Amino acid sequence: MKKLFYSQKLAPYVFVLPFALTVVIFWLFPIGNGVLLSFQDVLKKEWVGLGNYQRLLSDKIFLKAVYNSAKYMVGTLVLLIPFPMLFATLLNSKLMKKPGLFKSVYFVPALTSVVVAGTIFRLMFGEMDTSLANQIIAAFGISPIKWLKGEWTSYFALLLLACWRWTGVNILYFLAGLQSISTDIYEAASIDGASKWQQFVKISFPLVKPTTVYVLTISIYAGLSMFTESYMLWKGNNSPQNIGLTIVGYLYRQGIEKRAMGYACAVGLILLIIVMAVNLVQLKATGTFDKEER
Amino acid sequence: MKSQKSKNTLATVMLIVLFTILAILIIIPIYTIFLASFKPGGDLLQYGLNLGIDWSRMSLDNYSLLFTGQHEYWRWFTNSIILTVVTVVATLLVSAFVGYGFAAYEFKGKNALFVVVLLILSIPLEVVMLPLYKQMTSWGLMDSYMAIVLPFVAHASTIFFFRQYLLGLPKSLLEAGRIDGATEYGIFFRLIIPIMKPAFAAMAILNGMNAWNNYLWPLLVIRSSDKYTLTLGLNTLINPYGDNYSLLIVGSFFSIIPIFILFVCFQQYFIEGMTAGAVKE
């Protein structure tokens, strides 16, 4: 027995055992359980078939949550991919001799927890005319706004919070991608008379694609499963007309606050399906699958 | 030629201006909370966060409250440190063990299992959160740090990183170890762990940052207030009674400091850790 344990044949399985156990106990089992629960009314202890799902599809608040999460994800994709890519390209150019200090400063917001960052932004976007956001717009002659009570003004605050925390991190991702491109290619291109812009479009952009796909994948995941940012900005899970409610916020409200575990599990599984579907489309569109088949 | 050179200098200056402006914008929120840590908590409720400095209202009162006042802050702080250290040590050891298994051996079912690693990387934890919560309750693990640490010690992205790191490992090293009479596990513990130091550093920081800032899962699992972590505890101060806001602001500002010191000391590893997944695909 002892000999078998130490054999080269069995050892690899011992090495991966902790992961296999984790998958079974903490992923497969809960997902399976979640599927079963999603067909039940847990409070009444009865099976309801697809009832929870049917209810969800006509649940206006849930649809609002899906809309909010999707809107947030789209906003983060639009702001947190092109700009960091551009900034990284500029930081990486020979014109910038010491980008190190900038890189470190841009990274600092990622060190703050969402709890702290959300509190800071909630107070910066306060309703009083002395809050920072209202002071800034006052300089342009605009009267104070109740930022976190309006749909689009609060969307702006949420996106600004996301940009503040993640711009620096995404710059680092793109910098790492750009630095793996050989400088010879750029030299050859500039000898052939390609402008900086042409070099960016024809060389940097296509060659940094694996990084872009990676950032895209994690941004979709993070955008659709956002919760804490909104929980902090509105001091809890309730926002006026649910302008800050996300899919996970709704899952939390149903499962934890209202104890409707079955209904909440259906929300979780729909989230899983949405994330998987969006990422499949994205990986297909960016041609990531084709590359792996080759 | 000369005009080209001055054109380049101009471009450099413009870039530096652009990036300095960006840096200032990024620093502003931290600066406002730094300023606020010297202002009375009540002011914050009344005026919100801003860049105003009124010397007559600024004092070190919040700091003396933080260091000498009657509150739970330091208990939360200690809990967070304990939880972070335990999480990092356990996650690193287990994930490196698994990552080594993926990198060093060929075995049946390896590719399928590795696809599972990649799959889990792209599933939000929130999907399994509620059933997992139910499971933890029935196993009696509720309100324990075990429930926070255990499900994530074999951590998919950390395993992925270690596996990538170890792929370039020369197989001759393992053979040499075997010839010297080391067991398969002895090779890992005596030969591999010492050469993984840079990878450990990068992952320690990344996992440490996540554990220190973790919120939603501990919020579900932890019940008793003496087990609160810093993020949970700070959030209880959100109701503006008594000195809560003073402590919230100074405590929030202070909670950034340990992780900031780590960042300054090990900056290079931070950056490596963050970018590990992005390049190697």
Side-chain angles (χ1 to χ4, degrees), chain B residues 215-229:
Chain B
Y215 182 71
L216 184 52
W217 182 239
L219 175 71
L220 292 190
V221 170
I222 298 302
R223 289 275 157 271
S224 35
S225 58
D226 61 326
K227 288 183 187 151
Y228 276 2
T229 61

Side-chain angles (χ1 to χ4, degrees), chain B residues 203-257:
Chain B
M203 284 298 107
I205 286 153
L206 202 55
N207 280 296
M209 220 167 87
N210 287 338
W212 185 258
N213 292 332
N214 198 2
Y215 182 71
L216 184 52
W217 182 239
L219 175 71
L220 292 190
V221 170
I222 298 302
R223 289 275 157 271
S224 35
S225 58
D226 61 326
K227 288 183 187 151
Y228 276 2
T229 61
L230 207 45
T231 48
L232 292 179
L234 282 175
N235 199 40
T236 62
L237 299 175
I238 244 165
N239 296 316
Y241 303 119
D243 285 334
N244 273 2
Y245 259 59
S246 308
L247 188 61
L248 174 67
I249 292 307
V250 74
S252 294
F253 180 68
F254 209 79
S255 78
I256 309 174
I257 291 179

Side-chain angles (χ1 to χ4, degrees), chain A residues 199-215:
Chain A
Q199 289 180 27
F200 175 71
V201 175
K202 294 267 155 70
I203 303 172
S204 310
F205 187 70
L207 287 181
V208 86
K209 200 169 129 191
T211 310
T212 314
V213 172
Y214 176 79
V215 175

Side-chain angles (χ1 to χ4, degrees), chain A residues 5 8 13-15 25 29-30 95 104 106 111 113 120 122-123 128 130 132 164 172-173 214 227 264, chain B residues 12 19 26 45 47-50 97 108 128 130-131 135 154 178 184-185 213 215-216 245 267 274-275 281:
Chain A
F5 177 72
Q8 249 190 74
Y13 294 100
V14 176
F15 276 111
I25 302 173
F29 196 62
L95 295 170
S104 323
Y106 299 162
L111 302 176
S113 68
I120 297 177
R122 177 165 61 80
L123 293 166
M128 40 305 221
T130 45
L132 186 62
W164 182 64
L172 283 183
Y173 283 136
Y214 176 79
F227 167 74
Chain B
T12 305
F19 284 121
I26 281 179
L45 275 172
Y47 304 116
L49 271 175
N50 58 39
F97 193 75
K108 227 178 172 176
V128 295
L130 289 179
Q135 230 166 280
R178 284 184 191 123
E184 297 299 310
Y185 314 101
N213 292 332
Y215 182 71
L216 184 52
Y245 259 59
Q267 217 189 96
M274 292 302 297
T275 50
E281 287 238 358

Side-chain angles (χ1 to χ4, degrees), chain B residues 2 4 22 25 27 37 97 100 104 127 166 182 197 267 269:
Chain B
K2 201 183 170 195
Q4 179 63 37
L22 193 61
L25 289 178
I27 290 305
S37 70
F97 193 75
Y100 173 75
V127 168
L166 289 171
K197 266 187 202 144
Q267 217 189 96
Y269 299 124

Side-chain angles (χ1 to χ4, degrees), chain A residues 146-168:
Chain A
K146 290 180 175 164
W147 291 94
L148 300 178
K149 289 197 173 143
E151 183 177 350
W152 293 99
T153 48
S154 62
Y155 182 57
F156 175 77
L158 263 179
L159 283 184
L160 200 68
L161 171 57
C163 288
W164 182 64
R165 288 192 78 224
W166 297 112
T167 301

